[in-house]
Amino acid sequence: MKRSIVPIAILFLALSSVLSASAFHESQNRPPVGMERNEFSMRLFKILAGQEPGNMLFSPASVHIALSMTLNGAGSSTRDEMLGILSPPDATLETLNAETAAMVASFENLREGTALSVANSLWIDQHYPVSPRFVTDMERSFQAETASLDFNSPTAAKSINAWVSQATNRKIESIIDRLSADMRMVLVNAIHFLADWKYPFDANDTRNRVFHTSTKDIRTPFMNKSMSMHLIQVPEGQGVLLPYTDERMQFFAIMPDTGTVGDWLQGQDATLIDAVFAALEQPKTRVELSLPKFLDRFEKPLSRDLQTLGMRIPFDPDRADFSGMHADGLKDLFIGEVLHKTFIRVDEKGTEAAAVTAVVMRVTSMMPTGEQMVFDRPFVYGIVDTETRSTLFLGIMEHPQAP
């Protein structure tokens, strides 16, 4: 059967741990770290996809880690609400911290040609009486770098942005424009991914062809390859998996059979990500693949989207309880903004991607053979970590632009 998969949507960019087929099967015998996080990923992704026309890319892993850091300073109903959204029922903060630490630690021993770095930092207004215990928790559980700055100085934001640039290999140069008088703390997560394909595309085979966006047809460079690969079967859609040099990391692309990616996504849930991992257990199929090269950047404040997801109390200055951040246990902070930026480049050699999430704390008052796939219209893609089953990026590609 011949299939044509058309890319207009960057639906997923996730990171997947597949050290080997045997390692993958062994991992099925123990509870995967990231299973519940995938539900968080898909729910937030659908909220974003439902309101953002055009290309969209976000990192569920980065957002999750940044919010998990913030959760460590929460108390009472604020803590309960955040924990309920970030973790499965009956989970504890200690369990969540341990799972996050284990996931990040597992990225340290990737094979040559595949690199994934996760960095965290805590920036504190030098005039704010921060809890020493909270600082210790950030350093121990998240290996966060901590720094005290004069938030009234114009150089304070520059210091944070310089850290962001370094942590993302200069792919994201900044996350915050300036620090205002009511800001007391900024918690930042940064992720950088750089990997070569296990089977690179030949640049001599790259050809321009038509990509059908939701509004018009455009011509853009397509990479082409004929090889055996795992097919992804999902309701009313189909896709492929492409391994990086460390096969733990896998890129995937999924395209709906008909209609728009946005409409199709609204009928999906976390089982869509499960289907990506399930595909690795199936025999490979010979595929004639055409995939566009692309480079994309995306940024969006996520406060309203997280409130739509159900995380409302932390953003309410009258109800938020982040007493764990204050040295005397005062309830004087709330989440003012959650800022998010991403970057991705996909070409013949491999993939580079980066994400930054900043949680800004404000004071409450002034206070088969013949199979063919041509991704020439909206499609879903990603990178998955099959060992921890964690989603690192999710996005939508409406209009590919060559690197």
Side-chain angles (χ1 to χ4, degrees):
M1 179 181 67
K2 290 190 176 184
R3 287 293 304 235
S4 173
I5 292 192
V6 181
I8 241 185
I10 288 178
L11 181 54
F12 297 119
L13 177 56
L15 284 161
S16 167
S17 313
V18 190
L19 294 174
S20 65
S22 60
F24 175 75
H25 289 297
E26 288 174 7
S27 71
Q28 308 310 297
N29 298 322
R30 62 180 184 273
V33 171
M35 287 297 290
E36 296 79 9
R37 296 182 185 185
N38 288 340
E39 181 177 355
F40 166 84
S41 302
M42 276 299 300
R43 289 175 61 197
L44 183 54
F45 183 60
K46 289 172 67 174
I47 291 171
L48 294 172
Q51 62 188 251
E52 290 293 326
N55 297 348
M56 187 272 281
L57 173 69
F58 91 108
S59 169
S62 179
V63 176
H64 194 281
I65 292 173
L67 290 173
S68 296
M69 292 170 63
T70 311
L71 171 59
N72 278 260
S76 60
S77 58
T78 303
R79 174 172 173 158
D80 294 341
E81 187 174 79
M82 294 184 71
L83 190 61
I85 291 174
L86 296 173
S87 63
D90 302 322
T92 65
L93 178 61
E94 291 71 24
T95 299
L96 180 63
N97 287 346
E99 289 182 347
T100 300
M103 178 184 71
V104 173
S106 73
F107 297 146
E108 296 178 357
N109 299 310
L110 298 175
R111 295 175 184 172
E112 184 177 356
T114 300
L116 173 62
S117 63
V118 179
N120 300 308
S121 59
L122 172 64
W123 307 85
I124 309 158
D125 180 8
Q126 65 182 21
H127 304 294
Y128 185 75
V130 65
S131 165
R133 179 176 178 177
F134 178 69
V135 173
T136 299
D137 288 343
M138 293 298 96
E139 294 173 342
R140 289 180 177 175
S141 298
F142 297 91
Q143 291 75 53
E145 300 177 41
T146 61
S148 179
L149 302 174
D150 180 1
F151 276 24
N152 293 317
S153 170
T155 63
K158 292 181 181 180
S159 297
I160 297 174
N161 291 331
W163 182 92
V164 165
S165 179
Q166 182 178 16
T168 61
N169 193 31
R170 298 180 298 282
K171 292 302 175 289
I172 299 175
E173 295 288 352
S174 65
I175 190 62
I176 191 165
D177 294 331
R178 64 183 182 87
L179 297 173
S180 59
D182 62 341
M183 295 179 182
R184 296 293 181 269
M185 201 176 300
V186 182
L187 301 93
V188 187
N189 166 268
I191 293 176
H192 179 253
F193 176 76
L194 180 63
D196 296 336
W197 303 118
K198 182 174 183 180
Y199 308 105
F201 291 84
D202 188 339
N204 293 322
D205 293 332
T206 298
R207 299 285 186 274
N208 284 344
R209 65 179 299 163
V210 175
F211 185 95
H212 310 286
T213 76
S214 58
T215 58
K216 63 180 181 180
D217 290 352
I218 62 171
R219 291 189 66 81
T220 194
F222 275 72
M223 306 177 293
N224 298 282
K225 178 175 285 294
S226 176
M227 63 176 286
S228 294
M229 57 190 74
H230 292 291
L231 292 182
I232 303 169
Q233 303 290 346
V234 296
E236 302 179 349
Q238 189 175 22
V240 296
L241 279 153
L242 296 173
Y244 294 102
T245 54
D246 190 321
E247 291 190 69
R248 165 179 177 172
M249 300 298 168
Q250 302 270 333
F251 174 96
F252 70 90
I254 303 174
M255 191 169 61
D257 293 335
T258 60
T260 67
V261 168
D263 290 342
W264 174 77
L265 266 181
Q266 297 312 309
Q268 305 300 317
D269 56 24
T271 59
L272 181 64
I273 299 176
D274 296 339
V276 174
F277 297 110
L280 291 162
E281 300 182 277
Q282 302 303 316
K284 292 183 178 180
T285 300
R286 189 79 180 177
V287 175
E288 302 293 329
L289 176 66
S290 294
L291 182 72
K293 299 170 57 174
F294 57 87
L295 183 152
D296 197 35
R297 296 179 184 275
F298 182 78
E299 62 179 281
K300 189 181 189 300
L302 299 179
S303 300
R304 291 185 179 179
D305 306 300
L306 289 167
Q307 290 178 68
T308 300
L309 190 64
M311 192 178 292
R312 299 183 179 90
I313 296 176
F315 295 92
D316 187 341
D318 295 323
R319 302 170 64 198
D321 177 359
F322 287 100
S323 53
M325 296 182 178
H326 194 284
D328 296 324
L330 299 183
K331 303 177 184 179
D332 63 342
L333 298 179
F334 71 102
I335 298 178
E337 293 91 28
V338 177
L339 309 173
H340 191 63
K341 286 187 177 183
T342 55
F343 163 88
I344 186 170
R345 171 186 52 78
V346 176
D347 60 20
E348 292 89 350
K349 189 174 187 294
T351 300
E352 183 170 18
V356 175
T357 305
V359 180
V360 180
M361 305 303 298
R362 293 182 180 267
V363 68
T364 54
S365 63
M366 285 298 303
M367 257 278 11
T369 305
E371 190 76 22
Q372 185 182 53
M373 293 193 179
V374 179
F375 285 78
D376 58 354
R377 54 185 173 81
F379 66 94
V380 171
Y381 76 85
I383 307 169
V384 288
D385 183 346
T386 57
E387 183 173 297
T388 63
R389 300 172 76 95
S390 302
T391 310
L392 294 191
F393 292 89
L394 292 173
I396 296 178
M397 175 56 61
E398 284 280 350
H399 193 295
Q401 298 183 16

